[in-house]
Amino acid sequence: MPTRRKFITSSTTGLALLAAGRSLEAASLPPAPAKKPLVISTWDTGLAANLGAWKVLSKGGRALDAVEAGVMVTEDSQNCCVGLGGNPDREGIVTLDACIMDDQFNCGSVAALERIKHPISVARRIMERTPHVMLVGEGAQQFAVAQGFPLEPQKLSPDAEKAYREWLKTSEYKPVVNIENTGNKKTVGPVGGANNHDTIAMLAQDGQGNLSGSCTTSGMGFKMRGRLGDSPLIGSGLFVDNAVGAAAATGQGEDVIRIAGSHTVVELMRQGLSPKAACKAAVERIAKIKGAKARDIQVCFIAVNAQGQHGAYALQKGFSYAVCDQTNQQQLIQSEYLLS
Ligand code: SD4
């Protein structure tokens, strides 16, 4: 039987790719012993984001600060994935959702936020400076401005502008799974689907063993105005219980919400499942609900338990998650998946 080691290749830049896939026995071996601190995040965009988080963690910083700093890297990038560079809704307006949760059940969330560059930081301010967990729309923007966040121009990035114009030709909404692995342009599908997965979710454990998580998104491209997915919803897009573990989701938000996905993964870890097994059980639950329609969507979970073991599982092929710890600062792991 092949060993786990044989499936790990390292480049000179230190990038290690663990090819997993359902068929590879190696990927079902127990995870390596925990190495604190640790940060994991969704898709290959997570590689750069993890380095942002690592700057905090490697200096002994808090997981909470790390998960904010990490996803800010992605929010800053003007690609079509996350933040103001993301794809707009069907009215042509970019609306952003984000949430953050620490090791003490403190959480903050912002949804349908317009013209603010760092929704994750607004979510954190809501958590720390208001009696509320969630602010949406105009009120969220007012709060952000009052807190000193600059109001950015209402303008689409060149990529989003192009994609939106293309989409307007048909106005058809056809999500295509797995398009956010930016390194693989071949996975980009037709207009109206190609840019429908637009999220980064991140989980970190700091040197003290405390967990935190963050999630930020422009939501699904060309969504109905006012549509929210799982990403700003504590319990769906993200959940952290420091005594048990943390989980986060990406993919078709509606189906993650249906099972309160991230909370479900954490509760399954509480029952003794490994992070990967818990993610798999949650994916299976969605697959069962969806029946034949499961083939039309993608959902993926990542998880870390209190012992610092991590894992992930996806409904369909193509999901990867990035891991950064003391030994591998840039590791991209291809997730196992349910449907072959
Ligand atoms: C949403 N879960 O808005 C998000 C989309 C996503 O990668 O994850 N994109 O439903």
Short mmCIF file of all heavy atoms in Angstrom, two decimals, residues 185-237:
data_model
loop_
_atom_site.label_atom_id
_atom_site.label_comp_id
_atom_site.label_asym_id
_atom_site.label_seq_id
_atom_site.Cartn_x
_atom_site.Cartn_y
_atom_site.Cartn_z
N LYS A 185 -6.73 27.52 -14.57
CA LYS A 185 -7.68 28.33 -15.34
C LYS A 185 -8.65 27.45 -16.12
O LYS A 185 -9.72 27.89 -16.50
CB LYS A 185 -6.93 29.25 -16.31
CG LYS A 185 -5.99 30.21 -15.61
CD LYS A 185 -6.74 31.26 -14.80
CE LYS A 185 -5.78 32.23 -14.14
NZ LYS A 185 -6.33 32.93 -12.99
N LYS A 186 -8.26 26.20 -16.35
CA LYS A 186 -9.15 25.32 -17.12
C LYS A 186 -10.45 25.03 -16.39
O LYS A 186 -11.42 24.61 -16.98
CB LYS A 186 -8.44 24.00 -17.41
CG LYS A 186 -7.40 24.15 -18.48
CD LYS A 186 -6.81 22.81 -18.84
CE LYS A 186 -5.66 23.02 -19.79
NZ LYS A 186 -4.65 22.01 -19.66
N THR A 187 -10.44 25.24 -15.07
CA THR A 187 -11.67 24.96 -14.34
C THR A 187 -12.68 26.09 -14.48
O THR A 187 -13.80 25.98 -14.03
CB THR A 187 -11.39 24.74 -12.84
OG1 THR A 187 -10.71 25.88 -12.35
CG2 THR A 187 -10.57 23.50 -12.60
N VAL A 188 -12.25 27.20 -15.09
CA VAL A 188 -13.18 28.32 -15.24
C VAL A 188 -14.23 27.98 -16.30
O VAL A 188 -13.90 27.63 -17.42
CB VAL A 188 -12.42 29.60 -15.62
CG1 VAL A 188 -13.39 30.72 -15.95
CG2 VAL A 188 -11.51 30.01 -14.48
N GLY A 189 -15.46 28.08 -15.93
CA GLY A 189 -16.55 27.66 -16.81
C GLY A 189 -17.18 28.83 -17.52
O GLY A 189 -16.60 29.90 -17.63
N PRO A 190 -18.38 28.65 -18.03
CA PRO A 190 -19.03 29.69 -18.82
C PRO A 190 -19.45 30.89 -17.98
O PRO A 190 -19.58 30.80 -16.77
CB PRO A 190 -20.27 28.97 -19.37
CG PRO A 190 -20.50 27.84 -18.45
CD PRO A 190 -19.19 27.44 -17.91
N VAL A 191 -19.67 31.98 -18.66
CA VAL A 191 -20.15 33.18 -17.98
C VAL A 191 -21.46 32.88 -17.27
O VAL A 191 -22.30 32.16 -17.78
CB VAL A 191 -20.35 34.31 -19.01
CG1 VAL A 191 -21.09 35.48 -18.41
CG2 VAL A 191 -19.00 34.74 -19.54
N GLY A 192 -21.60 33.45 -16.11
CA GLY A 192 -22.80 33.15 -15.33
C GLY A 192 -22.55 32.00 -14.38
O GLY A 192 -23.33 31.72 -13.50
N GLY A 193 -21.44 31.33 -14.55
CA GLY A 193 -21.12 30.26 -13.64
C GLY A 193 -19.68 30.34 -13.19
O GLY A 193 -19.35 29.98 -12.08
N ALA A 194 -18.84 30.87 -14.07
CA ALA A 194 -17.41 30.79 -13.83
C ALA A 194 -16.99 31.44 -12.52
O ALA A 194 -16.02 31.02 -11.91
CB ALA A 194 -16.65 31.43 -14.97
N ASN A 195 -17.69 32.46 -12.13
CA ASN A 195 -17.20 33.19 -10.97
C ASN A 195 -18.19 33.16 -9.81
O ASN A 195 -18.35 34.12 -9.08
CB ASN A 195 -16.89 34.62 -11.38
CG ASN A 195 -15.84 34.64 -12.47
OD1 ASN A 195 -14.78 34.05 -12.30
ND2 ASN A 195 -16.16 35.24 -13.58
N ASN A 196 -18.83 32.04 -9.68
CA ASN A 196 -19.88 31.97 -8.67
C ASN A 196 -19.40 31.51 -7.30
O ASN A 196 -20.17 31.49 -6.37
CB ASN A 196 -21.00 31.06 -9.15
CG ASN A 196 -21.88 31.81 -10.12
OD1 ASN A 196 -22.41 32.85 -9.77
ND2 ASN A 196 -21.98 31.32 -11.32
N HIS A 197 -18.15 31.11 -7.20
CA HIS A 197 -17.63 30.73 -5.88
C HIS A 197 -16.57 31.72 -5.50
O HIS A 197 -15.54 31.82 -6.13
CB HIS A 197 -17.09 29.30 -5.91
CG HIS A 197 -18.17 28.32 -6.21
ND1 HIS A 197 -18.98 27.80 -5.23
CD2 HIS A 197 -18.60 27.81 -7.36
CE1 HIS A 197 -19.87 26.99 -5.78
NE2 HIS A 197 -19.66 26.99 -7.07
N ASP A 198 -16.82 32.47 -4.48
CA ASP A 198 -16.08 33.72 -4.29
C ASP A 198 -15.78 33.95 -2.81
O ASP A 198 -16.04 35.04 -2.31
CB ASP A 198 -16.92 34.89 -4.78
CG ASP A 198 -17.65 34.55 -6.06
OD1 ASP A 198 -18.72 33.96 -5.98
OD2 ASP A 198 -17.09 34.87 -7.11
N THR A 199 -15.22 32.96 -2.17
CA THR A 199 -15.14 33.03 -0.72
C THR A 199 -13.77 32.60 -0.23
O THR A 199 -13.15 31.73 -0.83
CB THR A 199 -16.18 32.06 -0.11
OG1 THR A 199 -17.46 32.45 -0.59
CG2 THR A 199 -16.19 32.08 1.41
N ILE A 200 -13.35 33.18 0.90
CA ILE A 200 -12.28 32.53 1.66
C ILE A 200 -12.75 32.34 3.09
O ILE A 200 -13.32 33.26 3.70
CB ILE A 200 -10.94 33.29 1.61
CG1 ILE A 200 -9.88 32.50 2.40
CG2 ILE A 200 -11.05 34.73 2.09
CD1 ILE A 200 -8.46 32.87 2.09
N ALA A 201 -12.56 31.13 3.60
CA ALA A 201 -12.82 30.83 5.01
C ALA A 201 -11.50 30.37 5.61
O ALA A 201 -10.74 29.63 4.97
CB ALA A 201 -13.87 29.74 5.14
N MET A 202 -11.22 30.82 6.82
CA MET A 202 -9.93 30.53 7.46
C MET A 202 -10.13 30.12 8.92
O MET A 202 -10.96 30.71 9.63
CB MET A 202 -9.07 31.81 7.37
CG MET A 202 -7.73 31.70 8.08
SD MET A 202 -6.74 33.19 7.84
CE MET A 202 -6.06 32.91 6.23
N LEU A 203 -9.36 29.14 9.36
CA LEU A 203 -9.38 28.71 10.76
C LEU A 203 -7.95 28.71 11.27
O LEU A 203 -7.04 28.28 10.56
CB LEU A 203 -9.93 27.28 10.87
CG LEU A 203 -11.30 27.03 10.23
CD1 LEU A 203 -11.64 25.54 10.23
CD2 LEU A 203 -12.39 27.83 10.96
N ALA A 204 -7.75 29.19 12.49
CA ALA A 204 -6.39 29.21 13.04
C ALA A 204 -6.38 28.75 14.48
O ALA A 204 -7.36 28.93 15.21
CB ALA A 204 -5.79 30.61 12.94
N GLN A 205 -5.27 28.13 14.85
CA GLN A 205 -5.01 27.80 16.26
C GLN A 205 -3.69 28.46 16.62
O GLN A 205 -2.67 28.25 15.95
CB GLN A 205 -4.92 26.29 16.45
CG GLN A 205 -4.79 25.92 17.93
CD GLN A 205 -4.83 24.42 18.15
OE1 GLN A 205 -4.17 23.67 17.44
NE2 GLN A 205 -5.57 23.99 19.15
N ASP A 206 -3.70 29.26 17.66
CA ASP A 206 -2.47 29.98 18.02
C ASP A 206 -1.60 29.15 18.98
O ASP A 206 -1.95 28.02 19.35
CB ASP A 206 -2.80 31.38 18.57
CG ASP A 206 -3.67 31.36 19.82
OD1 ASP A 206 -3.58 30.40 20.61
OD2 ASP A 206 -4.45 32.32 20.00
N GLY A 207 -0.47 29.71 19.35
CA GLY A 207 0.49 29.01 20.20
C GLY A 207 -0.08 28.64 21.57
O GLY A 207 0.40 27.72 22.22
N GLN A 208 -1.11 29.37 21.98
CA GLN A 208 -1.77 29.06 23.27
C GLN A 208 -2.82 27.96 23.09
O GLN A 208 -3.45 27.54 24.06
CB GLN A 208 -2.46 30.30 23.85
CG GLN A 208 -1.53 31.32 24.50
CD GLN A 208 -0.62 31.97 23.48
OE1 GLN A 208 -1.07 32.49 22.47
NE2 GLN A 208 0.69 31.93 23.74
N GLY A 209 -3.03 27.55 21.87
CA GLY A 209 -4.02 26.49 21.60
C GLY A 209 -5.40 27.01 21.36
O GLY A 209 -6.35 26.24 21.19
N ASN A 210 -5.57 28.35 21.31
CA ASN A 210 -6.90 28.91 21.09
C ASN A 210 -7.25 28.97 19.60
O ASN A 210 -6.39 29.26 18.77
CB ASN A 210 -7.00 30.31 21.70
CG ASN A 210 -7.02 30.25 23.21
OD1 ASN A 210 -7.61 29.32 23.79
ND2 ASN A 210 -6.35 31.18 23.87
N LEU A 211 -8.52 28.73 19.34
CA LEU A 211 -9.02 28.70 17.96
C LEU A 211 -9.82 29.95 17.62
O LEU A 211 -10.48 30.53 18.49
CB LEU A 211 -9.96 27.50 17.79
CG LEU A 211 -9.35 26.11 17.91
CD1 LEU A 211 -10.46 25.07 18.11
CD2 LEU A 211 -8.53 25.78 16.67
N SER A 212 -9.76 30.35 16.36
CA SER A 212 -10.65 31.39 15.84
C SER A 212 -10.88 31.12 14.37
O SER A 212 -10.12 30.36 13.75
CB SER A 212 -10.04 32.79 15.99
OG SER A 212 -10.01 33.18 17.34
N GLY A 213 -11.91 31.77 13.81
CA GLY A 213 -12.19 31.58 12.39
C GLY A 213 -12.73 32.84 11.75
O GLY A 213 -13.25 33.75 12.43
N SER A 214 -12.60 32.91 10.43
CA SER A 214 -13.14 34.04 9.67
C SER A 214 -13.65 33.54 8.32
O SER A 214 -13.22 32.50 7.84
CB SER A 214 -12.05 35.10 9.45
OG SER A 214 -10.98 34.54 8.71
N CYS A 215 -14.53 34.31 7.76
CA CYS A 215 -15.07 33.95 6.44
C CYS A 215 -15.48 35.25 5.75
O CYS A 215 -16.11 36.11 6.38
CB CYS A 215 -16.30 33.04 6.66
SG CYS A 215 -16.93 32.33 5.14
N THR A 216 -15.12 35.42 4.49
CA THR A 216 -15.47 36.66 3.80
C THR A 216 -15.73 36.37 2.32
O THR A 216 -15.05 35.53 1.73
CB THR A 216 -14.39 37.74 4.02
OG1 THR A 216 -14.74 38.93 3.31
CG2 THR A 216 -13.01 37.29 3.59
N THR A 217 -16.69 37.07 1.75
CA THR A 217 -17.12 36.72 0.39
C THR A 217 -17.83 37.88 -0.28
O THR A 217 -18.39 38.75 0.40
CB THR A 217 -18.08 35.51 0.45
OG1 THR A 217 -18.37 35.07 -0.87
CG2 THR A 217 -19.39 35.85 1.14
N SER A 218 -17.81 37.87 -1.59
CA SER A 218 -18.71 38.75 -2.35
C SER A 218 -19.99 37.98 -2.68
O SER A 218 -20.84 38.47 -3.41
CB SER A 218 -18.03 39.26 -3.61
OG SER A 218 -17.56 38.17 -4.39
N GLY A 219 -20.07 36.77 -2.19
CA GLY A 219 -21.26 35.95 -2.42
C GLY A 219 -21.26 35.42 -3.85
O GLY A 219 -20.32 35.62 -4.61
N MET A 220 -22.30 34.78 -4.20
CA MET A 220 -22.33 34.19 -5.54
C MET A 220 -22.54 35.28 -6.59
O MET A 220 -23.38 36.15 -6.43
CB MET A 220 -23.42 33.14 -5.61
CG MET A 220 -23.17 32.10 -4.53
SD MET A 220 -24.10 30.62 -4.75
CE MET A 220 -22.98 29.65 -5.71
N GLY A 221 -21.72 35.24 -7.63
CA GLY A 221 -21.80 36.26 -8.67
C GLY A 221 -23.18 36.30 -9.30
O GLY A 221 -23.78 35.26 -9.57
N PHE A 222 -23.70 37.51 -9.51
CA PHE A 222 -24.98 37.72 -10.22
C PHE A 222 -26.17 37.16 -9.44
O PHE A 222 -27.20 36.79 -10.00
CB PHE A 222 -24.90 37.15 -11.64
CG PHE A 222 -23.55 37.39 -12.27
CD1 PHE A 222 -22.75 36.34 -12.69
CD2 PHE A 222 -23.04 38.68 -12.36
CE1 PHE A 222 -21.49 36.57 -13.22
CE2 PHE A 222 -21.78 38.92 -12.89
CZ PHE A 222 -21.01 37.86 -13.33
N LYS A 223 -25.97 37.13 -8.13
CA LYS A 223 -27.05 36.70 -7.22
C LYS A 223 -28.19 37.73 -7.27
O LYS A 223 -28.00 38.87 -7.69
CB LYS A 223 -26.49 36.62 -5.80
CG LYS A 223 -25.95 37.96 -5.29
CD LYS A 223 -25.06 37.82 -4.05
CE LYS A 223 -24.42 39.15 -3.68
NZ LYS A 223 -23.43 39.04 -2.60
N MET A 224 -29.35 37.32 -6.78
CA MET A 224 -30.46 38.28 -6.64
C MET A 224 -30.06 39.35 -5.63
O MET A 224 -29.34 39.06 -4.68
CB MET A 224 -31.72 37.56 -6.13
CG MET A 224 -32.40 36.71 -7.16
SD MET A 224 -33.84 35.87 -6.47
CE MET A 224 -34.98 37.24 -6.30
N ARG A 225 -30.53 40.55 -5.86
CA ARG A 225 -30.22 41.63 -4.92
C ARG A 225 -30.81 41.29 -3.55
O ARG A 225 -31.98 40.90 -3.45
CB ARG A 225 -30.79 42.94 -5.45
CG ARG A 225 -30.47 44.13 -4.58
CD ARG A 225 -29.90 45.29 -5.37
NE ARG A 225 -29.59 46.44 -4.51
CZ ARG A 225 -28.40 46.61 -3.94
NH1 ARG A 225 -27.43 45.74 -4.11
NH2 ARG A 225 -28.18 47.66 -3.19
N GLY A 226 -29.99 41.37 -2.52
CA GLY A 226 -30.45 41.05 -1.17
C GLY A 226 -30.20 39.62 -0.75
O GLY A 226 -30.37 39.27 0.41
N ARG A 227 -29.72 38.80 -1.71
CA ARG A 227 -29.46 37.38 -1.37
C ARG A 227 -28.27 37.27 -0.39
O ARG A 227 -27.24 37.88 -0.57
CB ARG A 227 -29.15 36.60 -2.65
CG ARG A 227 -28.78 35.14 -2.43
CD ARG A 227 -27.29 34.91 -2.38
NE ARG A 227 -26.95 33.49 -2.28
CZ ARG A 227 -25.73 33.05 -1.98
NH1 ARG A 227 -24.75 33.88 -1.75
NH2 ARG A 227 -25.50 31.76 -1.89
N LEU A 228 -28.43 36.47 0.63
CA LEU A 228 -27.32 36.13 1.52
C LEU A 228 -27.09 34.63 1.45
O LEU A 228 -28.03 33.85 1.37
CB LEU A 228 -27.63 36.50 2.97
CG LEU A 228 -27.83 37.98 3.28
CD1 LEU A 228 -28.10 38.16 4.77
CD2 LEU A 228 -26.62 38.79 2.86
N GLY A 229 -25.83 34.25 1.52
CA GLY A 229 -25.50 32.84 1.59
C GLY A 229 -25.13 32.46 3.01
O GLY A 229 -25.54 33.10 3.99
N ASP A 230 -24.33 31.43 3.14
CA ASP A 230 -23.93 30.93 4.44
C ASP A 230 -22.80 31.75 5.08
O ASP A 230 -22.65 31.76 6.30
CB ASP A 230 -23.43 29.47 4.30
CG ASP A 230 -22.25 29.38 3.35
OD1 ASP A 230 -22.29 30.04 2.28
OD2 ASP A 230 -21.28 28.67 3.65
N SER A 231 -22.02 32.43 4.24
CA SER A 231 -20.75 32.99 4.73
C SER A 231 -20.87 33.99 5.88
O SER A 231 -19.99 34.01 6.74
CB SER A 231 -19.98 33.63 3.57
OG SER A 231 -19.75 32.66 2.57
N PRO A 232 -21.92 34.81 5.95
CA PRO A 232 -22.00 35.70 7.11
C PRO A 232 -22.75 35.08 8.29
O PRO A 232 -22.92 35.74 9.32
CB PRO A 232 -22.79 36.90 6.56
CG PRO A 232 -23.71 36.29 5.55
CD PRO A 232 -22.98 35.12 4.95
N LEU A 233 -23.20 33.85 8.14
CA LEU A 233 -24.05 33.25 9.18
C LEU A 233 -23.24 32.36 10.12
O LEU A 233 -22.75 31.29 9.73
CB LEU A 233 -25.18 32.42 8.54
CG LEU A 233 -26.13 33.20 7.63
CD1 LEU A 233 -27.20 32.27 7.08
CD2 LEU A 233 -26.76 34.37 8.37
N ILE A 234 -23.14 32.83 11.37
CA ILE A 234 -22.46 32.02 12.38
C ILE A 234 -23.23 30.70 12.52
O ILE A 234 -24.45 30.70 12.66
CB ILE A 234 -22.42 32.79 13.73
CG1 ILE A 234 -21.61 34.09 13.60
CG2 ILE A 234 -21.88 31.91 14.86
CD1 ILE A 234 -20.15 33.94 13.30
N GLY A 235 -22.51 29.61 12.47
CA GLY A 235 -23.16 28.29 12.52
C GLY A 235 -23.26 27.65 11.15
O GLY A 235 -23.25 26.43 11.04
N SER A 236 -23.37 28.46 10.12
CA SER A 236 -23.42 27.91 8.76
C SER A 236 -22.05 28.04 8.09
O SER A 236 -21.37 27.05 7.85
CB SER A 236 -24.49 28.63 7.93
OG SER A 236 -25.77 28.23 8.36
N GLY A 237 -21.63 29.29 7.80
CA GLY A 237 -20.34 29.49 7.14
C GLY A 237 -19.16 29.30 8.06
O GLY A 237 -18.04 29.03 7.61
#
